[in-house]
């Protein structure tokens, strides 16, 4: 089951761990395919981190996952 509560310190640790694996700087000399993979995954990790870090955005994502809000509808946030 999905829970709302999370450990902000652990979230940050996991974020940096994931970014160390795919950050575009690591792929500067790689081929175009690897650079694209890196850029896409790094962006997805950033987006997920920002959603999880913000309680309102986290709530909106949980509601979407649980089927209370349609996935293609953006909820208003305070930012």
């Amino acid at each position: 089951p999905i829970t709302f509560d999370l450990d902000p310190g652990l979230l940050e640790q996991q974020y940096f761990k994931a970014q160390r694996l795919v950050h575009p700087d690591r792929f500067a000399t790689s081929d175009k395919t690897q650079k694209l993979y890196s850029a896409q995954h790094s962006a997805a990790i950033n987006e997920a981190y920002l959603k999880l870090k913000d309680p309102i955005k986290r709530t909106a994502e949980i509601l979407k996952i649980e089927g209370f809000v349609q996935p293609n509808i953006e909820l208003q946030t305070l930012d």
Side-chain angles (χ1 to χ4, degrees):
I2 298 172
T3 61
F4 178 80
D5 295 326
L6 56 79
D7 177 339
L10 180 59
L11 174 64
E12 186 173 295
Q13 280 181 339
Q14 295 298 316
Y15 166 72
F16 286 118
K17 181 180 178 182
Q19 278 296 9
R20 276 192 297 276
L21 296 174
V22 298
H23 194 274
D25 289 348
R26 291 196 58 197
F27 295 86
T29 60
S30 299
D31 65 38
K32 286 171 46 174
T33 302
Q34 289 177 323
K35 286 180 181 179
L36 179 60
Y37 173 90
S38 169
Q40 290 173 334
H41 284 77
S42 182
I45 290 166
N46 286 336
E47 183 180 342
Y49 176 68
L50 293 174
K51 286 180 181 179
L52 289 171
K53 191 169 99 166
D54 181 297
I56 294 171
K57 291 178 182 177
R58 186 166 66 243
T59 299
E61 287 304 308
I62 291 171
L63 290 173
K64 287 179 186 178
I65 291 167
E66 294 293 337
F68 292 102
V69 177
Q70 293 180 10
N72 58 347
I73 294 177
E74 288 297 318
L75 297 179
Q76 291 292 97
T77 60
L78 300 177
D79 54 333

